[in-house]
Amino acid sequence: MRTDLFDFELPADSIALRPASPRDSARMLVVQGDGVLRDRIVADLPQWLEPGDQLVVNDTRVIPAQLRGRRIGRDTEPKIEATLIKRLDGSRWQALVKPARKLAPGDVIRFGNEGKVCLLGHLDAEVEAKGEEGEVTLSFSFHGPALDQAISDLGSPPLPPYIASRRAPDERDAADYQTMFAANEGAVAAPTAGLHFTDALQAGLRERGVGIHRVTLHVGAGTFLPVKVEDTAGHKMHSEWGSVSRDTAEALNAARADGGRIVAVGTTSLRLLESAAAENGTIQPFEGETAIFITPGYRFRAVDILLTNFHLPRSTLFMLVSAFSGLDTMKRAYAHAIKTGYRFYSYGDACLLFRSRD
């Protein structure tokens, strides 16, 4: 499909720079299967679900993957910013760096920050290889738990570029940019639909008879990348590591056999469940990489309802929700959201999507 079909105009003041407080007070646009739109708030979620429905949340935890330093070992020492995007082994990471033109294989970057102490006060990494669009392989001077601690000491939350370009990350983001389910470290971006959850909302769902299950998908920085090709067929998705346990798969399959619906909290949970699903919709245990790219025409096998935030124009995520609820319906829903002041992106409001009947 043509990428420009997924474009729309978004005013800059629609982008949320801070989350709602309390989290479940965020607005929620309900998009029903017949295209009817209703304005609600996230705290109303239990009212839209039925006893026996099963909620699936992503329990990945965001690491402080944003590192700042300088190139050393040459006449000049330009500042370098790196965002870790994928662990390769105990000491090596793939990263996005800028300015990438200042780096060549063999260069050493020294990461450090006044006021923070990391073991000997800094963390060195050699540029092992360079790829396309600012991607490099970094080989760090520390390994395993020591490297993890160094990154934790020196890094900061990797806020999405549409927030980071308008304000600097601060201490509030360390808490705001984690979901209440965060447990397994490895993500460089939050599964943002999960940011809306509170203890009160979770209790309300359980009182309603809705089950809550956890899966893990370590969200990569590729989630922020726009689709630059003219046709979606030419876009290459970044792979991400995910896991669905045998117990979770069996519980979801049993609930669905009894008439319960599968409710994905976020596009990350949905993509993982669809990757784990067989042709007949049965969810299998899963552990490994997925690069599933969902566009209109995709036949959903596992997920019936999706809670998600509002996404970027021309993004793979807007393509996914258009596949789920219909492109015309989602364009109309987004136009309504912009007109009525919904807040967009990671810290923004939510929409509850019922799968299209078409």
Side-chain angles (χ1 to χ4, degrees):
M1 297 184 71
R2 295 199 332 264
T3 302
D4 61 6
L5 292 174
F6 303 93
D7 205 359
F8 56 89
E9 292 293 327
L10 183 71
D13 60 5
S14 294
I15 300 173
L17 300 183
R18 297 285 184 187
S21 182
R23 295 187 181 205
D24 59 4
S25 67
R27 298 175 70 187
M28 181 176 73
L29 178 61
V30 179
V31 183
Q32 295 180 266
D34 54 5
V36 173
L37 308 179
R38 300 186 188 277
D39 298 303
R40 298 292 187 267
I41 64 172
V42 174
D44 296 332
L45 178 61
Q47 302 170 22
W48 289 91
L49 303 180
E50 300 293 340
D53 288 346
Q54 305 297 311
L55 214 70
V56 181
V57 301
N58 185 358
D59 69 0
T60 189
R61 185 173 184 84
V62 180
I63 63 171
Q66 193 87 47
L67 295 168
R68 292 174 175 82
R70 67 189 193 280
R71 186 189 71 198
I72 63 173
R74 291 208 247 161
D75 292 339
T76 60
E77 295 189 346
K79 292 181 179 179
I80 301 294
E81 184 176 288
T83 302
L84 306 179
I85 59 173
K86 185 178 182 180
R87 183 191 293 276
L88 300 177
D89 56 34
S91 60
R92 295 160 64 245
W93 277 83
Q94 282 183 318
L96 295 174
V97 298
K98 58 183 183 181
R101 68 182 186 280
K102 298 288 187 179
L103 295 174
D107 281 341
V108 174
I109 308 170
R110 175 158 293 171
F111 298 107
N113 215 321
E114 290 185 3
K116 287 188 176 181
V117 177
C118 162
L119 299 181
L120 298 177
H122 60 258
L123 173 63
D124 288 352
E126 180 180 337
V127 179
E128 193 174 87
K130 284 188 74 173
E132 298 178 353
E133 298 184 357
E135 194 167 299
V136 301
T137 300
L138 296 179
S139 179
F140 286 93
S141 53
F142 298 143
H143 182 91
L147 175 58
D148 295 343
Q149 185 62 55
I151 292 170
S152 179
D153 287 346
L154 292 175
S156 60
L159 286 183
Y162 40 76
I163 295 176
S165 63
R166 298 178 63 185
R167 68 166 179 83
D170 57 31
E171 291 183 1
R172 286 175 58 185
D173 293 307
D176 287 346
Y177 203 53
Q178 296 283 12
T179 73
M180 67 177 294
F181 309 107
N184 296 312
E185 289 195 344
V188 300
T192 53
L195 295 178
H196 298 296
F197 281 74
T198 63
D199 289 333
L201 177 56
Q202 189 170 219
L205 288 162
R206 294 197 186 283
E207 287 178 14
R208 180 68 169 159
V210 175
I212 301 176
H213 306 271
R214 296 180 177 224
V215 297
T216 303
L217 183 77
H218 291 325
V219 191
T223 190
F224 300 137
L225 298 178
V227 177
K228 296 181 178 179
V229 293
E230 293 184 359
D231 192 284
T232 58
H235 179 71
K236 182 182 178 182
M237 289 284 285
H238 281 65
S239 64
E240 298 163 314
W241 184 90
S243 173
V244 180
S245 72
R246 181 171 299 278
D247 287 348
T248 294
E250 290 177 352
L252 294 176
N253 290 331
R256 211 171 193 198
D258 287 339
R261 297 172 297 181
I262 305 301
V263 185
V265 176
T267 57
T268 60
S269 297
L270 181 146
R271 291 177 61 244
L272 181 57
L273 290 172
E274 291 294 323
S275 299
E279 281 296 320
N280 65 359
T282 301
I283 298 169
Q284 308 288 341
F286 182 93
E287 183 169 334
E289 301 282 334
T290 178
I292 189 171
F293 181 22
I294 295 175
T295 58
Y298 176 85
R299 183 178 67 83
F300 289 88
R301 297 174 290 187
V303 177
D304 304 295
I305 302 171
L306 171 64
L307 179 73
T308 186
N309 284 24
F310 291 93
H311 303 295
L312 286 162
R314 302 174 73 101
S315 66
T316 61
L317 302 183
F318 184 62
M319 293 171 186
L320 184 155
V321 297
S322 297
F324 196 79
S325 295
L327 177 57
D328 291 342
T329 295
M330 291 313 300
K331 283 194 166 184
R332 187 163 54 82
Y334 272 46
H336 170 82
I338 293 168
K339 182 179 179 180
T340 56
Y342 278 77
R343 302 161 71 247
F344 273 62
Y345 304 159
S346 296
Y347 279 156
D349 296 317
C351 48
L352 183 66
L353 308 179
F354 290 79
R355 202 167 71 194
S356 172
R357 298 172 183 173
D358 296 336

